[in-house]
Amino acid sequence: KNQPNSDMTSFTWRETAQGHILLQGNKFNWIERARYGVKSIWPIHPSYVEVKKINRQLVYYVQERTSNRIIPSKDMLHVPGFGFNGLTGESVITNFAKGTIGIGLSLEEFQSLFFEQGMNPGGVFYLPEGQTLGDNAEGWRAAVRRRFQGGAKHHVPMTLENGMKFDQVDVKLVDAQFLDLVKAKKIDICGIFKVPPSKISIHGTNTNYNNTEQENLSFVNTCLLPWLVRDEQAMNAKLLTDAERKAGFFIKYNVSGLLRGDSKARSEYYNKMFQVGAMSPNDIREKEDANPIEGGDQYFVPLNFVSVDRQEPVSLEQNHKRIKENRSQENILHSVRTRDRIIKRYYPLFENAVDKITRIEKNAVTRKVDQFNKKRAFNDLEGFLHEFYSTFDEKVKAIIAPTFRVFAESIQEAAATEIGDKIGISEDLEKRINDYINGFSNKYVRSSLNQLLDQLKQGGPDAVADRATDWTIDPTRAQKTSKNETVSMANMVARASFLAAGFSAVWAIRGDETCPYCRSLEGMAVKSGQAFVEPGNFEPEGADSGPMKIRGLTKYPALHGGCDCFITYK
C-alpha cells in the first residue's frame, strides 16, 4: 500500500515484506495508529532502515527523500531473521549461502549461453587433401555462422561443394552430467529454506514421505512454522493492546489448508477423546482454530452420543429435577465459564466506548474552561456544566447502547443453554435492558457532573479541566467502569433468564478469596421481585470492616466494586 502525501512515496517497493526477511534478513513495517487502534501497516525496504539503541531503547532511522524519520520501537513492526544480534537479523543469502547461490547463477548463465550460441549441426568441416579456403576463409566462416548459428536456426539443411565434408560432433548436456548438476544445485538452494524439492517441481528425490499429506505436514513444521511464529510473536506484541490480550485476542496464521496432512490420525484422536467425555465440541474446535459454537461446551457420553437434556422430550418439571440433581459446585463453575468468556470478549468494547465518552467530555469541558478563564466568569462555568450534562446522557446512550444490547443477547443465549431452554429476549428482558442502559447513562452523568462541580468549588476552573483531562489519561476510570458493568449486566440478564424459565436465582461465589459480605450471600435463592440485600447497612457475621452502605435493592451482583460473584439457578 502506498502512503499518500509522504516522502516515502518516492520509493518503489520491489519486494513484499515477507520477501524482505527471507532475502534481506529483516522485515520492517511502520505501524500507523489511529485514535483507537492500528489504522495501517506500511512495509519499508530494509535498505532504508538503520536500527540503533539509545538509552536502552530501540529506535529506527528511516531514510526519506530529504531527511531521516525516527520511528520508536512501539510503532515499528520489526521481524528479524536468522542470526539476530539484538538489533538486526542476518541475510541468509548474503552471509551464509552466497557460494551456493553463485554457483546456481553461473549454471543458469552457462545453460543460457549454450543454447543461445550453440550450432546444430555442430562439428568439423573437412576439405579434400591439398585444398584450402585461402582468402575467402573469414567470409566463409561468417556466412556459416549467419546461416546456422543460434537456437532459431537449428536443423537448417546444409549444402557442401567441391568435395567438402562435415563430421558432426555431439556434445550432449546429459553426457556432461550437466542436468544432474543443475538439479543438485536447486536442491541445495531448497535446503537453505527447508523447502521440499517437490514444491518447485523436482520429483524423484529420496524422501521419507510416502504421501502428499506427510510432506505438507513436514513443509509446514520445518519450513513455514519458524517464520510464522516470528511474525505472530511480533504482531501480538505490537498490534494488540493490553486490554485485547487480556480479553483473549491473539493473531495467528491459519495454515489449516496445508495441515490436512495426517488428518486420519488427528480425527481418530479427537473421536476417542470425545467418546469418553474428555473433550467437548468446542475443545476440538479450539484445537482446529475454529470459533466456538452455541452449546458446544457440553460433554457427551456414549449413550447414543447425545446430551442428556436432548435425549428425549421432557416436561419442565422433569428438566428442573434433572438439573437440580446435578448442581455441584464444580458444575456451577463450569456452567458460568461461557458467560466468563463472553465478558472477556466484550470487555475491550466497553472500555473503548467509555474512553470515547470521556474524550468527548474532556474536549467540551477544557474548551469552555479556556473561554471562561479569559472572561473570569466562574458562575457561567457552573451553568455550562449543568447545561452540558443535562443532555449528555443521550450522547452516552447513543455510544454505549449498541454494545450493551449485543452483549445482553450473547449472555442470554449462554444462560438459556445452561438450563437447556431455547428462550430468546422476552419483552420483560427487553424492558430490563432498556432500563439498565438508562440507569447507567444517568449514573454516569451524575458522577461526572458531581466530580466537576466539586473540583470547581475546591480548585476553580483549572481543577475542572485537570479532572476532565485525567479521565482520558488515566485508564482506571474506563477499566473500572467496564469491569463493573460487564459483571453487573451479565448477572442481570442471567437472573432474568433463569426466573423466566421457572428457576430461582442463586448467588454464587468464586472461591475462598471472596469477601465476607459476598460469602454471606452464597447459596441464597430469590424468586421474581425479591432482592438479595435490602437498602441500609449490611453487616453480616465475620465482616470486620464494619457495615456496608447499600443504597438500593441488590437483586444481582456486583455487590461492590471489583465483585466477581455471579448468578446461577436452582
Side-chain angles (χ1 to χ4, degrees):
K1 185 176 181 181
N2 289 325
Q3 180 187 2
N5 304 321
S6 170
D7 288 342
M8 298 180 74
T9 57
S10 62
F11 301 129
T12 300
W13 311 117
R14 295 191 178 93
E15 301 168 298
T16 64
Q18 195 62 42
H20 293 166
I21 190 173
L22 295 175
L23 301 179
Q24 306 289 333
N26 293 277
K27 181 171 74 171
F28 297 102
N29 293 275
W30 171 51
I31 305 171
E32 182 183 6
R33 301 187 186 274
R35 189 171 183 179
Y36 299 109
V38 177
K39 180 180 179 181
S40 300
I41 301 174
W42 308 94
I44 306 176
H45 195 282
S47 62
Y48 299 122
V49 182
E50 182 181 2
V51 186
K52 294 184 178 181
K53 183 177 287 188
I54 300 177
N55 296 328
R56 298 185 179 182
Q57 297 293 325
L58 289 179
V59 294
Y60 298 83
Y61 288 79
V62 179
Q63 177 186 348
E64 295 189 347
R65 186 185 309 167
T66 57
S67 62
N68 285 346
R69 180 199 298 196
I70 301 177
I71 299 178
S73 177
K74 68 180 182 65
D75 292 329
M76 179 66 81
L77 182 61
H78 176 202
V79 184
F82 178 79
F84 183 54
N85 61 7
L87 294 178
T88 57
E90 300 282 355
S91 170
V92 176
I93 300 297
T94 303
N95 297 336
F96 303 101
K98 182 165 52 178
T100 300
I101 300 296
I103 293 174
L105 293 174
S106 297
L107 289 173
E108 284 192 3
E109 182 180 2
F110 172 78
Q111 187 177 16
S112 176
L113 291 173
F114 185 92
F115 287 104
E116 180 181 351
Q117 299 181 4
M119 185 180 74
N120 196 2
V124 180
F125 290 95
Y126 293 94
L127 293 173
E129 187 175 353
Q131 292 188 23
T132 64
L133 295 176
D135 296 337
N136 296 326
E138 286 301 325
W140 182 83
R141 293 190 188 99
V144 170
R145 284 195 294 269
R146 287 195 304 270
R147 185 74 177 88
F148 300 108
Q149 184 171 302
K153 302 172 184 178
H154 287 180
H155 310 294
V156 174
M158 179 182 292
T159 302
L160 301 177
E161 298 177 353
N162 299 325
M164 183 178 290
K165 295 181 180 180
F166 175 76
D167 188 7
Q168 184 171 348
V169 178
D170 290 335
V171 182
K172 297 181 180 180
L173 291 180
V174 174
D175 294 341
Q177 297 183 344
F178 181 80
L179 294 180
D180 289 341
L181 182 59
V182 171
K183 182 177 178 180
K185 284 292 100 183
K186 289 183 178 180
I187 293 176
D188 287 345
I189 295 172
C190 284
I192 296 172
F193 296 105
K194 307 287 187 185
V195 176
S198 64
K199 296 299 180 185
I200 61 170
S201 300
I202 297 179
H203 301 286
T205 56
N206 184 21
T207 68
N208 296 322
Y209 310 121
N210 54 20
N211 57 51
T212 303
E213 284 188 348
Q214 291 181 347
E215 187 172 83
N216 280 342
L217 187 61
S218 175
F219 174 56
V220 171
N221 289 337
T222 61
C223 176
L224 296 183
L225 197 58
W227 301 107
L228 300 184
V229 170
R230 278 181 167 90
D231 261 11
E232 290 167 353
Q233 291 176 343
M235 290 188 289
N236 283 315
K238 296 291 182 70
L239 302 183
L240 298 180
T241 64
D242 290 339
E244 288 170 338
R245 283 190 289 269
K246 290 179 181 177
F249 289 99
F250 61 92
I251 298 172
K252 184 176 182 180
Y253 282 100
N254 186 357
V255 293
S256 57
L258 291 172
L259 284 179
R260 292 296 173 244
D262 211 18
S263 57
K264 180 180 178 181
R266 213 166 63 251
S267 62
E268 288 178 352
Y269 168 75
Y270 291 149
N271 190 41
K272 290 179 180 178
M273 298 299 287
F274 176 79
Q275 290 182 24
V276 298
M279 297 181 73
S280 69
N282 278 346
D283 292 335
I284 297 174
R285 293 179 65 83
E286 182 179 1
K287 296 285 187 182
E288 294 293 299
D289 290 331
N291 289 328
I293 59 174
E294 181 180 354
D297 290 314
Q298 298 187 60
Y299 291 82
F300 294 81
V301 293
L303 182 60
N304 298 327
F305 297 105
V306 296
S307 60
V308 178
D309 60 337
R310 286 181 170 84
Q311 184 177 2
E312 60 183 17
V314 295
S315 65
L316 181 62
E317 291 76 14
Q318 290 174 319
N319 191 38
H320 286 191
K321 181 180 179 180
R322 175 191 58 76
I323 293 174
K324 291 178 181 179
E325 289 174 351
N326 293 279
R327 298 302 290 162
S328 66
Q329 179 66 16
E330 182 179 353
N331 289 338
I332 291 173
L333 290 174
H334 174 73
S335 66
V336 80
R337 284 171 188 161
T338 300
R339 282 186 270 157
D340 286 344
R341 284 198 294 268
I342 295 172
I343 289 174
K344 290 180 180 179
R345 200 157 53 233
Y346 278 89
Y347 181 83
L349 300 180
F350 279 100
E351 189 173 345
N352 286 339
V354 174
D355 183 64
K356 182 176 181 180
I357 293 169
T358 57
R359 290 182 184 280
I360 294 175
E361 291 179 278
K362 178 256 184 183
N363 292 337
V365 170
T366 54
R367 185 166 55 248
K368 286 297 180 181
V369 166
D370 289 341
Q371 295 177 1
F372 291 135
N373 270 339
K374 295 177 181 178
K375 297 179 180 179
R376 312 294 292 177
F378 299 163
N379 290 335
D380 290 344
L381 180 55
E382 182 177 351
F384 161 76
L385 293 175
H386 282 286
E387 181 181 359
F388 174 75
Y389 280 105
S390 65
T391 59
F392 191 62
D393 61 332
E394 293 299 324
K395 175 68 74 174
V396 173
K397 283 189 285 188
I399 296 173
I400 203 76
T403 303
F404 268 126
R405 292 190 184 281
V406 294
F407 175 69
E409 291 176 0
S410 299
I411 292 294
Q412 191 279 327
E413 290 177 2
T417 301
E418 290 181 43
I419 56 178
D421 280 337
K422 297 182 180 180
I423 57 175
I425 301 291
S426 63
E427 292 185 5
D428 177 68
L429 182 54
E430 179 68 29
K431 180 179 181 302
R432 293 179 184 275
I433 294 173
N434 290 332
D435 291 343
Y436 190 98
I437 295 173
N438 291 331
F440 169 80
S441 61
N442 291 333
K443 179 175 64 176
Y444 183 94
V445 166
R446 288 198 308 271
S447 174
S448 294
L449 177 60
N450 291 335
Q451 289 185 55
L452 295 182
L453 290 177
D454 287 343
Q455 292 298 316
L456 182 62
K457 293 178 182 178
Q458 297 175 12
D462 290 338
V464 172
D466 290 343
R467 174 56 59 90
T469 302
D470 288 343
W471 289 341
T472 61
I473 297 176
D474 185 1
T476 304
R477 190 186 197 202
Q479 293 174 354
K480 182 179 179 181
T481 302
S482 302
K483 182 175 182 180
N484 289 343
E485 296 307 322
T486 50
V487 171
S488 181
M489 190 174 202
N491 286 315
M492 182 276 289
V493 174
R495 171 191 164 113
S497 300
F498 298 149
L499 294 178
F503 290 93
S504 296
V506 179
W507 191 289
I509 63 174
R510 299 281 176 174
D512 296 336
E513 299 299 323
T514 305
C515 72
Y517 301 94
C518 292
R519 195 179 303 123
S520 68
L521 299 174
E522 181 186 9
M524 183 177 178
V526 297
K527 292 288 187 179
S528 181
Q530 297 177 334
F532 290 99
V533 184
E534 300 289 336
N537 291 329
F538 178 51
E539 189 175 11
E541 184 178 352
D544 298 332
S545 300
M548 177 184 292
K549 184 69 174 179
I550 306 298
R551 301 186 182 279
L553 292 174
T554 301
K555 296 185 176 181
Y556 46 81
L559 179 66
H560 54 79
C563 176
D564 63 351
C565 297
F566 62 96
I567 289 292
T568 183
Y569 57 90
K570 73 173 185 178

